[in-house]
């Protein structure tokens, strides 16, 4: 195998694949990136067996072939080279010689034969606007559970129906629900899959890079396909394959509150700043902040820590009964951070035992609900 | 209380009186002595000694398994009586308490009179013997009560602490364990008075912080981890734990799982009894070669449910057990206790409520018909007996806590 390519192209594609490179070294070849030279391009593949990323960059190929090289080391080195032509040649015993200007380097590699094969992408089912994907992920992925013991909560549920895309995530205490109406050709009924947290991050990154190539409209599409065990997302020349999480995702529809209870609107930035300040004095373990809603104002109170206590009030239009309810301040800040486009946020709650709901008032191009269970304070 | 468990057993069976009695299990069993009668102590049997060793020293002793629920009940009774004498009662363990009598003179009379009245009240209402020590520090009171046993009262006059302690053996100092005793004896120190003569710096050099505490203790002060903490009549425990030693070391997965379930069930019951929730779950595994592993996990919210704790314990076991090694002992420990469950669940709300109600009902049945009235099916295969440990005769701090129920653990 012998070829030349531009260092900047190689750096870009190696970076894109880095998230799929296995960090543990139980299977040594998975720390490597598979490099395959074909007519006019070089294809790079990285996998940790859960997610795989394949991409390519243009190259002048003199001789076809393949090898694997340590991904991190290769990237760290090539990144330091000037942006110019890089001559790449595989020597005997799987090592590769890299020549760029006056630099000459040999990197030890491993045979491509031992590299796992990527599952074949089936026929494309439908196309998802890249912007819809990135929006769905940014509004839900923070609610995915970190706790391993609740296995099916460690991913977000993606549902594609004929007329909408739904993404839901929950960690058992709160749930983020995103639904975007959109006509999905080729789908009848619905297609579902549980996407692991790490894959969400990679998908978001790839979709974002793709969307950045176009304008603000929803015309840039990600090709979507699915087989029994995998989901496939093709973002332009890059392909992300992920193994679906197996297991039963909770019945999220039962969790969505039916009656609204009290509802107020409040400026996002003011509210966020107040939560941040008051939360400095929240109990360190529970992070609980009490919201007290009374005529004309919403009070935020943190007490119970040895450090002291803090209180702040924000004016709001409200004239009902006095209600108080405690929420984890981190949960509230997660939501407020995810809706940076909103000027105001809507908070609905019923009583200290029932779930509260956070939304963006007046947003009608998509449905976004963030449901949070209170804390006893 | 004097030989607390034995005394309680004697109430039920007066023929045991004056005889060598060992509470903890059958003579040939594994496990340790939880309490020894005065008669059997003459043979060198003491608590925390292996049962088989106790049998070797005193084969004619009567071995009793013991009934922890009954001991706890008597402990509660005694506490109620103490509360009538002072509002500040600190339960140091199941059978040991400190009373802050500051300001009680006008109500109860001079110290010795109050002590006599208290002694009599405990005897009249529980039928159990106890001993009292009176002093200006918890340390002198504790050592005093130890010397007053059995069935006595001892007052250490203010200002006389050092003189009182000086002739006593260093083993009398709470918190001075075997290792420290050996080290002190190697330095030629045998009596507490000899410690008091040492320069604090000398002791600190040899024993670090513990040395400084030792210097204070030798003068009769409340020094060292446990004693230097402020007096507290807080009833809230810091943690609960249960552990069990298998009759024979085992690799039987089903038996191990049943045992874990049983231990979880016992521990969660303690949580509910105290109306507390626990956040940290810890598993202890001891293998046949005595190597011991403890692994803990913090739950994302505090709980008192058997099901949630068992799930965490099983996961800890699965991740940490070393295959092919026989297990000798298993233990379950719940810490980071909180009075509120904090974050409410969104997803399995109904399921948790159901569990909660079922466990409440189970607890009510146990209160009425005994601990074995109802239990987790998973725990059935293991017919584990519950064991509680009395105070080892002289020591404080860590060893001084009820084994199954780690009372105010501040060490």
């Amino acid at each position: 195998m012998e070829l030349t390519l531009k260092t900047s192209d190689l750096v870009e594609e190696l970076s894109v694949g880095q998230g799929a490179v296995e960090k543990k070294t139980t299977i040594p070849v998975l720390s490597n990136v598979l490099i395959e030279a074909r007519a006019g391009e070089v294809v790079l593949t990285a996998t940790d067996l859960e997610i795989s990323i394949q991409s390519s960059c243009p190259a002048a190929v003199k001789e076809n072939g393949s090898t694997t090289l340590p991904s991190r080391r290769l990237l760290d080195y090539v990144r330091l080279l000037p942006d110019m032509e890089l001559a790449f040649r595989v020597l005997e015993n799987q090592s590769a010689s890299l020549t760029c200007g006056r630099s000459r380097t040999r990197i030890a590699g491993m045979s491509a034969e031992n590299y796992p094969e990527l599952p074949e992408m089936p026929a494309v089912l439908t196309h998802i606007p890249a912007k819809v994907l990135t929006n769905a992920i940014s509004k839900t992925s923070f609610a995915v559970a970190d706790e391993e013991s609740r296995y099916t909560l460690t991913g977000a549920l993606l549902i594609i129906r004929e007329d909408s895309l739904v993404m839901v995530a929950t960690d058992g205490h709160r749930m983020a629900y995103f639904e975007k109406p959109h006509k999905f050709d080729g789908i009848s009924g619905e297609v579902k899959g549980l996407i692991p947290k790490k894959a969400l991050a990679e998908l978001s990154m790839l979709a974002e890079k793709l969307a950045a190539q176009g304008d603000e409209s929803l015309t840039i599409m990600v090709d979507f396909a699915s087989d029994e065990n995998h989901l496939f997302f093709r973002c332009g020349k890059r392909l992300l394959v992920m193994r679906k999480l197996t297991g039963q995702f909770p019945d999220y529809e039962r969790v969505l509150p039916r009656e609204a209870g009290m509802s107020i609107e409040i400026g996002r930035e003011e509210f966020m700043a107040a939560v941040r300040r008051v939360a400095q004095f929240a109990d360190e373990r529970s992070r609980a902040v009490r919201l007290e809603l009374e005529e004309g104002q919403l009070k935020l109170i943190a007490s119970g820590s040895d450090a002291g206590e803090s209180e702040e009030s924000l004016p709001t239009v409200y004239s009902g009964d006095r209600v108080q309810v405690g929420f984890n301040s981190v949960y509230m800040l997660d939501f407020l951070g995810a809706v940076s486009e909103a000027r105001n946020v809507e908070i609905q709650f019923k009583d200290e035992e029932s779930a509260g709901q956070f939304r963006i008032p007046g947003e009608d191009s998509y449905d976004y609900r963030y449901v949070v269970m209170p804390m006893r304070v | 209380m004097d030989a607390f468990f034995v005394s309680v057993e004697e109430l039920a069976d007066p023929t045991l009186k004056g005889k060598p009695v060992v509470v903890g299990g059958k003579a040939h069993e594994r496990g340790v002595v939880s309490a020894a009668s005065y008669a059997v102590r003459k043979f060198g049997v003491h608590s925390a000694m292996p049962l088989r060793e106790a049998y070797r020293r005193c084969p004619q002793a009567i071995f009793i398994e013991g009934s922890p629920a009954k001991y706890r009940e008597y402990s509660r009774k005694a506490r109620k009586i103490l509360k009538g004498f002072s509002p500040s009662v600190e339960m140091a363990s199941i059978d040991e308490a400190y009373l802050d009598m500051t300001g009680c003179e006008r109500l109860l009379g001079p110290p010795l009179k109050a002590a006599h009245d208290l002694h009599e009240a405990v005897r009249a209402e529980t039928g159990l013997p106890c001993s009292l020590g009176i002093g200006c520090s918890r340390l002198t009171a504790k050592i005093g009560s130890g010397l007053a046993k059995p069935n006595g009262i001892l007052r250490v006059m203010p200002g006389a602490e050092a003189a009182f302690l000086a002739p006593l053996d260093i083993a009398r100092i709470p918190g001075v364990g075997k290792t420290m005793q050996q080290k002190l004896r190697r330095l030629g120190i045998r009596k507490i008075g000899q410690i008091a003569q040492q320069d604090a710096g000398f002791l600190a050099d040899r024993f670090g912080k513990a040395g400084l505490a030792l210097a204070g203790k030798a003068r009769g002060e409340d020094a060292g981890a446990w004693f230097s903490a402020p007096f507290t009549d807080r009833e809230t425990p810091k943690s609960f734990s249960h552990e069990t030693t298998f009759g024979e070391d085992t690799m039987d997965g089903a038996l191990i799982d049943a045992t874990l379930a049983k231990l979880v069930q016992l521990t969660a019951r303690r949580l509910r009894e105290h109306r507390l929730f626990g956040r940290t779950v810890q598993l202890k595994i001891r293998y046949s070669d005595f190597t011991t592993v403890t692994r803990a996990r913090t739950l994302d919210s505090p709980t008192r449910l058997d099901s949630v704790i068992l799930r965490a314990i099983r996961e800890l076991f699965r991740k940490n057990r070393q295959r092919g090694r026989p297990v000798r002992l298993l233990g379950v420990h719940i810490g980071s206790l909180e009075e509120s469950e904090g974050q409410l669940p969104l997803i399995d709300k109904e399921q948790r409520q159901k569990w909660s109600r079922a466990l409440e009902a189970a607890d009510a049945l146990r209160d009425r018909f005994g601990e074995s009235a109802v239990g987790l099916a998973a725990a059935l295969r293991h017919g584990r007996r519950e064991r509680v440990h009395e105070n080892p005769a002289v020591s404080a701090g860590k060893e001084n806590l009820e084994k199954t129920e780690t009372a105010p653990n501040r060490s």
Side-chain angles (χ1 to χ4, degrees), chain A residues 147 149-150 172-174 254-255 285 373-376, chain B residues 297 300 315 336 338 341-346 348 350:
Chain A
E147 212 179 319
S149 64
R150 318 190 74 173
H173 302 311
R174 50 167 169 175
R254 280 182 58 194
V255 170
R285 265 196 301 196
M373 269 316 265
M375 305 190 74
R376 289 195 204 277
Chain B
R297 238 201 64 197
D300 59 2
E315 194 189 313
S336 308
E338 290 173 26
E341 61 190 304
Q343 179 66 53
L344 300 173
L346 179 68
D348 35 15
E350 288 88 359

PDB file of all heavy atoms in Angstrom, chain A residues 147 149-150 172-174 254-255 285 373-376, chain B residues 297 300 315 336 338 341-346 348 350:
ATOM      1  N   GLU A 147     -25.794   5.612  35.880  1.00  0.00           N
ATOM      2  CA  GLU A 147     -25.705   4.419  36.719  1.00  0.00           C
ATOM      3  C   GLU A 147     -25.841   3.156  35.887  1.00  0.00           C
ATOM      4  O   GLU A 147     -26.830   2.933  35.212  1.00  0.00           O
ATOM      5  CB  GLU A 147     -26.822   4.466  37.758  1.00  0.00           C
ATOM      6  CG  GLU A 147     -26.428   3.809  39.050  1.00  0.00           C
ATOM      7  CD  GLU A 147     -27.566   3.904  40.065  1.00  0.00           C
ATOM      8  OE1 GLU A 147     -28.201   4.961  40.151  1.00  0.00           O
ATOM      9  OE2 GLU A 147     -27.806   2.910  40.737  1.00  0.00           O
ATOM     10  N   SER A 149     -26.317   0.138  36.811  1.00  0.00           N
ATOM     11  CA  SER A 149     -27.273  -0.883  37.245  1.00  0.00           C
ATOM     12  C   SER A 149     -28.638  -0.683  36.579  1.00  0.00           C
ATOM     13  O   SER A 149     -29.447  -1.582  36.530  1.00  0.00           O
ATOM     14  CB  SER A 149     -27.414  -0.859  38.752  1.00  0.00           C
ATOM     15  OG  SER A 149     -27.960   0.369  39.162  1.00  0.00           O
ATOM     16  N   ARG A 150     -28.902   0.524  36.090  1.00  0.00           N
ATOM     17  CA  ARG A 150     -30.165   0.737  35.396  1.00  0.00           C
ATOM     18  C   ARG A 150     -29.858   0.783  33.898  1.00  0.00           C
ATOM     19  O   ARG A 150     -29.932   1.815  33.256  1.00  0.00           O
ATOM     20  CB  ARG A 150     -30.810   2.035  35.882  1.00  0.00           C
ATOM     21  CG  ARG A 150     -30.685   2.177  37.379  1.00  0.00           C
ATOM     22  CD  ARG A 150     -31.495   3.293  37.906  1.00  0.00           C
ATOM     23  NE  ARG A 150     -32.905   2.956  37.911  1.00  0.00           N
ATOM     24  CZ  ARG A 150     -33.840   3.732  38.457  1.00  0.00           C
ATOM     25  NH1 ARG A 150     -33.494   4.879  38.999  1.00  0.00           N
ATOM     26  NH2 ARG A 150     -35.096   3.381  38.433  1.00  0.00           N
ATOM     27  N   GLY A 172     -34.480   8.070  35.748  1.00  0.00           N
ATOM     28  CA  GLY A 172     -35.299   7.563  36.839  1.00  0.00           C
ATOM     29  C   GLY A 172     -35.832   8.660  37.750  1.00  0.00           C
ATOM     30  O   GLY A 172     -36.780   8.452  38.498  1.00  0.00           O
ATOM     31  N   HIS A 173     -35.213   9.854  37.681  1.00  0.00           N
ATOM     32  CA  HIS A 173     -35.673  10.961  38.506  1.00  0.00           C
ATOM     33  C   HIS A 173     -36.268  12.083  37.661  1.00  0.00           C
ATOM     34  O   HIS A 173     -37.037  12.892  38.116  1.00  0.00           O
ATOM     35  CB  HIS A 173     -34.518  11.549  39.311  1.00  0.00           C
ATOM     36  CG  HIS A 173     -33.842  10.549  40.188  1.00  0.00           C
ATOM     37  ND1 HIS A 173     -34.537   9.722  41.019  1.00  0.00           N
ATOM     38  CD2 HIS A 173     -32.539  10.228  40.340  1.00  0.00           C
ATOM     39  CE1 HIS A 173     -33.691   8.943  41.659  1.00  0.00           C
ATOM     40  NE2 HIS A 173     -32.476   9.219  41.254  1.00  0.00           N
ATOM     41  N   ARG A 174     -35.832  12.144  36.424  1.00  0.00           N
ATOM     42  CA  ARG A 174     -36.274  13.199  35.526  1.00  0.00           C
ATOM     43  C   ARG A 174     -36.308  12.620  34.117  1.00  0.00           C
ATOM     44  O   ARG A 174     -35.667  11.604  33.843  1.00  0.00           O
ATOM     45  CB  ARG A 174     -35.288  14.358  35.564  1.00  0.00           C
ATOM     46  CG  ARG A 174     -33.872  13.798  35.376  1.00  0.00           C
ATOM     47  CD  ARG A 174     -32.894  14.810  35.099  1.00  0.00           C
ATOM     48  NE  ARG A 174     -31.530  14.326  35.174  1.00  0.00           N
ATOM     49  CZ  ARG A 174     -30.517  15.084  34.865  1.00  0.00           C
ATOM     50  NH1 ARG A 174     -30.702  16.334  34.492  1.00  0.00           N
ATOM     51  NH2 ARG A 174     -29.297  14.611  34.924  1.00  0.00           N
ATOM     52  N   ARG A 254     -46.586   7.387  30.266  1.00  0.00           N
ATOM     53  CA  ARG A 254     -47.265   7.434  31.563  1.00  0.00           C
ATOM     54  C   ARG A 254     -46.676   8.494  32.472  1.00  0.00           C
ATOM     55  O   ARG A 254     -47.297   8.920  33.440  1.00  0.00           O
ATOM     56  CB  ARG A 254     -47.143   6.079  32.258  1.00  0.00           C
ATOM     57  CG  ARG A 254     -48.139   5.080  31.741  1.00  0.00           C
ATOM     58  CD  ARG A 254     -48.016   3.786  32.494  1.00  0.00           C
ATOM     59  NE  ARG A 254     -48.200   3.958  33.926  1.00  0.00           N
ATOM     60  CZ  ARG A 254     -47.879   3.031  34.823  1.00  0.00           C
ATOM     61  NH1 ARG A 254     -47.348   1.899  34.439  1.00  0.00           N
ATOM     62  NH2 ARG A 254     -48.088   3.230  36.102  1.00  0.00           N
ATOM     63  N   VAL A 255     -45.439   8.865  32.180  1.00  0.00           N
ATOM     64  CA  VAL A 255     -44.738   9.787  33.058  1.00  0.00           C
ATOM     65  C   VAL A 255     -45.094  11.248  32.752  1.00  0.00           C
ATOM     66  O   VAL A 255     -45.047  12.110  33.621  1.00  0.00           O
ATOM     67  CB  VAL A 255     -43.217   9.546  32.912  1.00  0.00           C
ATOM     68  CG1 VAL A 255     -42.420  10.615  33.599  1.00  0.00           C
ATOM     69  CG2 VAL A 255     -42.863   8.163  33.448  1.00  0.00           C
ATOM     70  N   ARG A 285     -24.906  17.235  49.139  1.00  0.00           N
ATOM     71  CA  ARG A 285     -25.231  15.941  48.573  1.00  0.00           C
ATOM     72  C   ARG A 285     -26.497  15.984  47.726  1.00  0.00           C
ATOM     73  O   ARG A 285     -26.547  15.448  46.643  1.00  0.00           O
ATOM     74  CB  ARG A 285     -25.372  14.902  49.681  1.00  0.00           C
ATOM     75  CG  ARG A 285     -24.086  14.148  49.883  1.00  0.00           C
ATOM     76  CD  ARG A 285     -24.335  12.910  50.662  1.00  0.00           C
ATOM     77  NE  ARG A 285     -24.917  13.261  51.974  1.00  0.00           N
ATOM     78  CZ  ARG A 285     -24.961  12.411  52.989  1.00  0.00           C
ATOM     79  NH1 ARG A 285     -24.483  11.213  52.845  1.00  0.00           N
ATOM     80  NH2 ARG A 285     -25.493  12.756  54.137  1.00  0.00           N
ATOM     81  N   MET A 373     -39.011  15.022  38.992  1.00  0.00           N
ATOM     82  CA  MET A 373     -39.635  14.719  40.274  1.00  0.00           C
ATOM     83  C   MET A 373     -39.026  15.623  41.333  1.00  0.00           C
ATOM     84  O   MET A 373     -37.835  15.923  41.293  1.00  0.00           O
ATOM     85  CB  MET A 373     -39.381  13.260  40.657  1.00  0.00           C
ATOM     86  CG  MET A 373     -40.435  12.284  40.200  1.00  0.00           C
ATOM     87  SD  MET A 373     -42.133  12.800  40.428  1.00  0.00           S
ATOM     88  CE  MET A 373     -42.519  12.025  41.991  1.00  0.00           C
ATOM     89  N   PRO A 374     -39.857  16.044  42.295  1.00  0.00           N
ATOM     90  CA  PRO A 374     -39.345  16.911  43.363  1.00  0.00           C
ATOM     91  C   PRO A 374     -38.456  16.150  44.349  1.00  0.00           C
ATOM     92  O   PRO A 374     -38.349  14.931  44.280  1.00  0.00           O
ATOM     93  CB  PRO A 374     -40.613  17.381  44.087  1.00  0.00           C
ATOM     94  CG  PRO A 374     -41.768  16.812  43.378  1.00  0.00           C
ATOM     95  CD  PRO A 374     -41.288  15.768  42.437  1.00  0.00           C
ATOM     96  N   MET A 375     -37.851  16.908  45.244  1.00  0.00           N
ATOM     97  CA  MET A 375     -37.102  16.322  46.349  1.00  0.00           C
ATOM     98  C   MET A 375     -37.844  16.705  47.607  1.00  0.00           C
ATOM     99  O   MET A 375     -38.463  17.752  47.684  1.00  0.00           O
ATOM    100  CB  MET A 375     -35.706  16.931  46.431  1.00  0.00           C
ATOM    101  CG  MET A 375     -34.938  16.835  45.157  1.00  0.00           C
ATOM    102  SD  MET A 375     -33.235  17.310  45.423  1.00  0.00           S
ATOM    103  CE  MET A 375     -32.626  15.890  46.294  1.00  0.00           C
ATOM    104  N   ARG A 376     -37.732  15.870  48.618  1.00  0.00           N
ATOM    105  CA  ARG A 376     -38.293  16.253  49.918  1.00  0.00           C
ATOM    106  C   ARG A 376     -37.279  17.157  50.606  1.00  0.00           C
ATOM    107  O   ARG A 376     -36.151  16.769  50.818  1.00  0.00           O
ATOM    108  CB  ARG A 376     -38.540  15.013  50.759  1.00  0.00           C
ATOM    109  CG  ARG A 376     -39.690  14.182  50.246  1.00  0.00           C
ATOM    110  CD  ARG A 376     -40.100  13.187  51.323  1.00  0.00           C
ATOM    111  NE  ARG A 376     -40.762  12.038  50.741  1.00  0.00           N
ATOM    112  CZ  ARG A 376     -42.053  12.004  50.425  1.00  0.00           C
ATOM    113  NH1 ARG A 376     -42.804  13.067  50.636  1.00  0.00           N
ATOM    114  NH2 ARG A 376     -42.594  10.929  49.904  1.00  0.00           N
TER     115      ARG A 376
ATOM    116  N   ARG B 297     -20.808   1.261  47.416  1.00  0.00           N
ATOM    117  CA  ARG B 297     -21.380   2.033  46.310  1.00  0.00           C
ATOM    118  C   ARG B 297     -22.348   3.040  46.864  1.00  0.00           C
ATOM    119  O   ARG B 297     -23.078   2.771  47.809  1.00  0.00           O
ATOM    120  CB  ARG B 297     -22.140   1.088  45.379  1.00  0.00           C
ATOM    121  CG  ARG B 297     -21.617   1.116  43.952  1.00  0.00           C
ATOM    122  CD  ARG B 297     -22.654   0.618  42.998  1.00  0.00           C
ATOM    123  NE  ARG B 297     -23.798   1.489  42.981  1.00  0.00           N
ATOM    124  CZ  ARG B 297     -24.966   1.135  42.488  1.00  0.00           C
ATOM    125  NH1 ARG B 297     -25.150  -0.051  42.010  1.00  0.00           N
ATOM    126  NH2 ARG B 297     -25.954   1.988  42.480  1.00  0.00           N
ATOM    127  N   ASP B 300     -27.954   6.563  43.906  1.00  0.00           N
ATOM    128  CA  ASP B 300     -28.233   7.922  43.452  1.00  0.00           C
ATOM    129  C   ASP B 300     -29.287   8.613  44.312  1.00  0.00           C
ATOM    130  O   ASP B 300     -29.433   9.815  44.250  1.00  0.00           O
ATOM    131  CB  ASP B 300     -28.570   7.975  41.943  1.00  0.00           C
ATOM    132  CG  ASP B 300     -29.762   7.130  41.604  1.00  0.00           C
ATOM    133  OD1 ASP B 300     -30.337   6.538  42.527  1.00  0.00           O
ATOM    134  OD2 ASP B 300     -30.122   7.066  40.415  1.00  0.00           O
ATOM    135  N   GLU B 315     -24.880  -6.550  42.784  1.00  0.00           N
ATOM    136  CA  GLU B 315     -23.974  -6.012  41.767  1.00  0.00           C
ATOM    137  C   GLU B 315     -22.556  -5.925  42.324  1.00  0.00           C
ATOM    138  O   GLU B 315     -21.585  -6.280  41.650  1.00  0.00           O
ATOM    139  CB  GLU B 315     -24.477  -4.631  41.347  1.00  0.00           C
ATOM    140  CG  GLU B 315     -23.822  -4.116  40.083  1.00  0.00           C
ATOM    141  CD  GLU B 315     -24.192  -2.678  39.831  1.00  0.00           C
ATOM    142  OE1 GLU B 315     -25.402  -2.358  39.933  1.00  0.00           O
ATOM    143  OE2 GLU B 315     -23.288  -1.877  39.563  1.00  0.00           O
ATOM    144  N   SER B 336     -24.184   6.619  55.404  1.00  0.00           N
ATOM    145  CA  SER B 336     -24.693   7.918  54.929  1.00  0.00           C
ATOM    146  C   SER B 336     -26.204   8.005  55.156  1.00  0.00           C
ATOM    147  O   SER B 336     -26.976   8.142  54.228  1.00  0.00           O
ATOM    148  CB  SER B 336     -24.414   8.139  53.447  1.00  0.00           C
ATOM    149  OG  SER B 336     -23.073   7.927  53.162  1.00  0.00           O
ATOM    150  N   GLU B 338     -29.809   9.287  56.134  1.00  0.00           N
ATOM    151  CA  GLU B 338     -30.512  10.565  56.022  1.00  0.00           C
ATOM    152  C   GLU B 338     -31.935  10.390  56.510  1.00  0.00           C
ATOM    153  O   GLU B 338     -32.487   9.299  56.474  1.00  0.00           O
ATOM    154  CB  GLU B 338     -30.493  11.041  54.565  1.00  0.00           C
ATOM    155  CG  GLU B 338     -29.096  11.469  54.149  1.00  0.00           C
ATOM    156  CD  GLU B 338     -28.974  11.782  52.661  1.00  0.00           C
ATOM    157  OE1 GLU B 338     -29.997  12.155  52.050  1.00  0.00           O
ATOM    158  OE2 GLU B 338     -27.865  11.653  52.136  1.00  0.00           O
ATOM    159  N   GLU B 341     -35.875  10.771  52.144  1.00  0.00           N
ATOM    160  CA  GLU B 341     -35.419  10.029  50.979  1.00  0.00           C
ATOM    161  C   GLU B 341     -34.932  10.963  49.871  1.00  0.00           C
ATOM    162  O   GLU B 341     -34.419  10.509  48.858  1.00  0.00           O
ATOM    163  CB  GLU B 341     -36.504   9.097  50.461  1.00  0.00           C
ATOM    164  CG  GLU B 341     -37.754   9.816  50.013  1.00  0.00           C
ATOM    165  CD  GLU B 341     -38.906   8.857  49.742  1.00  0.00           C
ATOM    166  OE1 GLU B 341     -38.712   7.947  48.928  1.00  0.00           O
ATOM    167  OE2 GLU B 341     -39.960   9.026  50.346  1.00  0.00           O
ATOM    168  N   GLY B 342     -35.124  12.282  50.076  1.00  0.00           N
ATOM    169  CA  GLY B 342     -34.592  13.222  49.099  1.00  0.00           C
ATOM    170  C   GLY B 342     -35.317  13.148  47.774  1.00  0.00           C
ATOM    171  O   GLY B 342     -36.521  13.296  47.701  1.00  0.00           O
ATOM    172  N   GLN B 343     -34.557  12.861  46.739  1.00  0.00           N
ATOM    173  CA  GLN B 343     -35.105  12.822  45.383  1.00  0.00           C
ATOM    174  C   GLN B 343     -36.173  11.737  45.237  1.00  0.00           C
ATOM    175  O   GLN B 343     -35.916  10.569  45.517  1.00  0.00           O
ATOM    176  CB  GLN B 343     -33.969  12.569  44.402  1.00  0.00           C
ATOM    177  CG  GLN B 343     -34.414  12.471  42.965  1.00  0.00           C
ATOM    178  CD  GLN B 343     -34.954  13.791  42.450  1.00  0.00           C
ATOM    179  OE1 GLN B 343     -34.316  14.814  42.540  1.00  0.00           O
ATOM    180  NE2 GLN B 343     -36.172  13.764  41.913  1.00  0.00           N
ATOM    181  N   LEU B 344     -37.355  12.120  44.796  1.00  0.00           N
ATOM    182  CA  LEU B 344     -38.418  11.139  44.571  1.00  0.00           C
ATOM    183  C   LEU B 344     -38.249  10.517  43.189  1.00  0.00           C
ATOM    184  O   LEU B 344     -37.766  11.156  42.274  1.00  0.00           O
ATOM    185  CB  LEU B 344     -39.786  11.824  44.674  1.00  0.00           C
ATOM    186  CG  LEU B 344     -40.078  12.485  46.021  1.00  0.00           C
ATOM    187  CD1 LEU B 344     -41.368  13.282  45.966  1.00  0.00           C
ATOM    188  CD2 LEU B 344     -40.159  11.442  47.105  1.00  0.00           C
ATOM    189  N   PRO B 345     -38.663   9.263  43.047  1.00  0.00           N
ATOM    190  CA  PRO B 345     -38.476   8.590  41.760  1.00  0.00           C
ATOM    191  C   PRO B 345     -39.566   8.962  40.757  1.00  0.00           C
ATOM    192  O   PRO B 345     -40.713   9.177  41.127  1.00  0.00           O
ATOM    193  CB  PRO B 345     -38.570   7.113  42.125  1.00  0.00           C
ATOM    194  CG  PRO B 345     -39.453   7.076  43.322  1.00  0.00           C
ATOM    195  CD  PRO B 345     -39.250   8.367  44.050  1.00  0.00           C
ATOM    196  N   LEU B 346     -39.178   9.007  39.516  1.00  0.00           N
ATOM    197  CA  LEU B 346     -40.131   9.325  38.457  1.00  0.00           C
ATOM    198  C   LEU B 346     -40.625   8.052  37.784  1.00  0.00           C
ATOM    199  O   LEU B 346     -41.794   7.945  37.428  1.00  0.00           O
ATOM    200  CB  LEU B 346     -39.435  10.216  37.419  1.00  0.00           C
ATOM    201  CG  LEU B 346     -40.225  10.665  36.204  1.00  0.00           C
ATOM    202  CD1 LEU B 346     -41.319  11.634  36.598  1.00  0.00           C
ATOM    203  CD2 LEU B 346     -39.305  11.331  35.192  1.00  0.00           C
ATOM    204  N   ASP B 348     -40.120   4.223  38.522  1.00  0.00           N
ATOM    205  CA  ASP B 348     -40.777   3.067  39.141  1.00  0.00           C
ATOM    206  C   ASP B 348     -41.469   3.468  40.440  1.00  0.00           C
ATOM    207  O   ASP B 348     -41.381   2.788  41.439  1.00  0.00           O
ATOM    208  CB  ASP B 348     -39.787   1.917  39.363  1.00  0.00           C
ATOM    209  CG  ASP B 348     -38.413   2.437  39.712  1.00  0.00           C
ATOM    210  OD1 ASP B 348     -38.316   3.635  40.047  1.00  0.00           O
ATOM    211  OD2 ASP B 348     -37.446   1.661  39.660  1.00  0.00           O
ATOM    212  N   GLU B 350     -44.683   3.610  41.332  1.00  0.00           N
ATOM    213  CA  GLU B 350     -45.711   2.707  41.871  1.00  0.00           C
ATOM    214  C   GLU B 350     -45.062   1.480  42.476  1.00  0.00           C
ATOM    215  O   GLU B 350     -45.450   1.020  43.539  1.00  0.00           O
ATOM    216  CB  GLU B 350     -46.697   2.262  40.775  1.00  0.00           C
ATOM    217  CG  GLU B 350     -47.644   3.343  40.319  1.00  0.00           C
ATOM    218  CD  GLU B 350     -47.068   4.174  39.191  1.00  0.00           C
ATOM    219  OE1 GLU B 350     -45.909   3.895  38.788  1.00  0.00           O
ATOM    220  OE2 GLU B 350     -47.745   5.098  38.721  1.00  0.00           O
TER     221      GLU B 350
END
